[in-house]
Amino acid sequence: VNSQLISNVCLDAISAGKYYYFVRLMGRKASHVALECALQSHPNMLIMGEEVALSKLTLMEVINKICDGVQARAELGKHHGVLLIPEGLIESIPEMYALIQEISILHNNNVPVTEIPTQVSPWAAALFQFLPPFIRRELLLHQESDNSAQLSQIDTEQLLAHLVEAEMIKRTKEGRYKGKKFSSVCHFFGYQARGSLPSNFDCDYAYVLGHISLHMIAAGLTGYMATVANLKDPVHKWRCAAAPLTAMMSVRRHLRGPGAIPIGKPAIHPSPIDLKGKAYELLREKASSFLLDDFYRTPGGIQFEGPGSDAKPITLTIEDQDYMGDIEMLKLYLDKVKTIVKPGCSRDTLKAAISSMISVTHVLTVMSHPLNAELPLYHFN
């Protein structure tokens, strides 16, 4: 449904020929929804939080990249476009994340909202004053139950549109931009799609999850999550499983103030976009064409019968990952190690196994260290 709405906006943009549409999408900190919608509707630009975090781009660097795209299109006589923005983008920008963290600490210390701007650090105060008034008000809103910012209430798309317009005016005065006046229209698509009818795939997926849940209840399992893998295959080839919630949790450390003792809080942290995955590679291959060629795609509404009724998300169909299959493969290798390393094996074999296991354990410990979950910049393999 989001992709259909975006494609409608794309057609309106190319028809009017004078507006840039900034569209913010739900999805919290990860950009999965935005990536899927980009592959479905082919907008001109997608600003992914994971890319921004990995490159450590500042707010003005993000703005300049958007402005460069606008300028490149203007040189082709195009003064319209569509940009997709995940709602978690603002937390992926290092200085914005640090500002949000300072505000969060002051909230936790019960500092009145009116006094927070005067109690943040000098650099944070300077950034706070630089931001438009509407963003300042939204950043001061009380956090969610997990101490994160209310991302759905922060109009990131309006912030970017505001700053891009200011930069384009500056470039015009300096003679670097000679196109038409930049004009923007902002949208936030979330509840429209969340309240839509489910597709046939959605129905199959929900039915299977319910079926797994029934078996978990019958087996007396609690604290587990129903999971399904191989979703790109026909339903009869799906792999069902139950994963313990604790296996996916790590302890997030919250500081109540400078010099305070960190308070541990277990949580399941979001899984970011795999920037080495096939879905992301496909987007990068098409990025230049999307930016300059107006290669818009119109997926249309959800179909329940006939052609297109069994359509699945593009990100599912092009990935070849079998999560549960990989876990079974790991178990097979561990069983082989147990078979080889047993009482009676040579001392050299035992030493080699111990050395290898120490190395593997050390690497996995570093990769899954709880403190990594605190960083605003994701670490990729």
Side-chain angles (χ1 to χ4, degrees):
V1 173
N2 273 333
S3 300
Q4 180 189 359
L5 294 172
I6 293 166
S7 67
N8 292 348
V9 167
C10 290
L11 294 178
D12 187 72
I14 199 171
S15 175
K18 58 181 179 180
Y19 297 116
Y20 272 88
Y21 289 86
F22 288 68
V23 180
R24 178 164 54 101
L25 298 166
M26 276 186 167
R28 300 298 299 170
K29 294 182 181 180
S31 305
H32 295 286
V33 174
L35 173 60
E36 176 65 27
C37 289
L39 294 176
Q40 290 278 1
S41 56
H42 301 180
N44 298 109
M45 286 183 253
L46 166 62
I47 312 299
M48 284 179 52
E50 289 83 348
E51 285 182 318
V52 172
L54 185 66
S55 302
K56 302 181 181 179
L57 297 179
T58 65
L59 179 60
M60 290 312 300
E61 286 174 336
V62 172
I63 297 303
N64 283 323
K65 284 186 175 294
I66 296 174
C67 290
D68 291 343
V70 172
Q71 198 159 332
R73 289 178 57 78
E75 292 172 0
L76 299 176
K78 299 177 180 180
H79 299 91
H80 62 274
V82 179
L83 294 85
L84 298 191
I85 303 162
E87 66 178 357
L89 173 64
I90 196 164
E91 281 199 332
S92 300
I93 300 172
E95 71 266 34
M96 294 302 298
Y97 178 84
L99 173 60
I100 291 171
Q101 287 298 98
E102 284 201 30
I103 293 174
S104 175
I105 291 172
L106 293 173
H107 272 306
N108 290 333
N109 289 335
N110 298 317
V111 175
V113 172
T114 55
E115 296 180 14
I116 288 179
T118 63
Q119 295 197 24
V120 294
S121 62
W123 73 264
L127 174 60
F128 188 79
Q129 292 302 318
F130 166 77
L131 298 172
F134 66 92
I135 291 293
R136 295 182 213 163
R137 290 193 299 269
E138 292 162 356
L139 289 176
L140 292 177
L141 294 173
H142 284 278
Q143 314 105 299
E144 304 278 10
S145 58
D146 63 349
N147 285 334
S148 62
Q150 293 194 47
L151 297 177
S152 63
Q153 302 299 318
I154 299 176
D155 295 320
T156 309
E157 75 284 7
Q158 294 189 29
L159 171 64
L160 296 186
H162 174 84
L163 295 177
V164 168
E165 181 176 5
E167 175 63 21
M168 296 309 297
I169 291 174
K170 177 184 175 184
R171 293 188 181 193
T172 301
K173 291 180 178 179
E174 295 173 350
R176 292 188 290 154
Y177 174 69
K178 300 179 181 179
K180 293 182 180 179
K181 182 178 182 296
F182 177 85
S183 298
S184 62
V185 178
C186 296
H187 291 286
F188 173 40
F189 293 158
Y191 305 103
Q192 301 93 327
R194 195 169 72 177
S196 71
L197 289 173
S199 66
N200 290 344
F201 169 75
D202 296 331
C203 293
D204 291 339
Y205 185 45
Y207 184 93
V208 171
L209 289 174
H211 194 77
I212 299 170
S213 300
L214 174 64
H215 282 282
M216 289 194 296
I217 294 171
L221 298 178
T222 59
Y224 281 72
M225 183 180 76
T227 66
V228 188
N230 287 6
L231 292 173
K232 69 174 183 177
D233 295 328
V235 177
H236 68 275
K237 291 185 177 181
W238 288 4
R239 299 169 70 93
C240 304
L245 296 177
T246 52
M248 298 178 278
M249 301 177 81
S250 59
V251 177
R252 171 175 288 181
R253 300 183 179 185
H254 297 284
L255 289 173
R256 297 295 180 182
I261 298 175
I263 299 175
K265 187 175 182 181
I268 298 176
H269 300 292
S271 175
I273 295 288
D274 181 5
L275 297 186
K276 293 185 178 179
K278 290 186 176 181
Y280 178 75
E281 288 180 4
L282 176 61
L283 179 69
R284 287 299 98 204
E285 290 173 8
K286 304 289 186 181
S288 296
S289 176
F290 287 179
L291 175 62
L292 301 175
D293 298 338
D294 289 350
F295 190 50
Y296 301 140
R297 179 177 181 269
T298 306
I302 295 176
Q303 302 298 309
F304 300 100
E305 294 181 353
S309 60
D310 294 325
K312 296 179 180 180
I314 293 175
T315 47
L316 277 182
T317 57
I318 64 177
E319 292 287 0
D320 57 359
Q321 298 177 356
D322 179 4
Y323 187 79
M324 299 308 297
D326 290 342
I327 288 180
E328 288 188 5
M329 184 183 298
L330 174 62
K331 289 182 178 179
L332 287 175
Y333 277 106
L334 292 176
D335 289 340
K336 286 182 180 179
V337 171
K338 289 181 180 179
T339 301
I340 296 172
V341 183
K342 57 184 180 181
C345 69
S346 69
R347 187 73 181 175
D348 289 340
T349 301
L350 184 59
K351 286 184 176 180
I354 292 174
S355 176
S356 299
M357 287 301 171
I358 290 174
S359 298
V360 169
T361 303
H362 178 70
V363 170
L364 295 179
T365 300
V366 171
M367 290 176 61
S368 60
H369 199 284
L371 288 180
N372 282 354
E374 282 298 295
L375 299 176
L377 307 177
Y378 299 109
H379 292 267
F380 299 96
N381 300 331

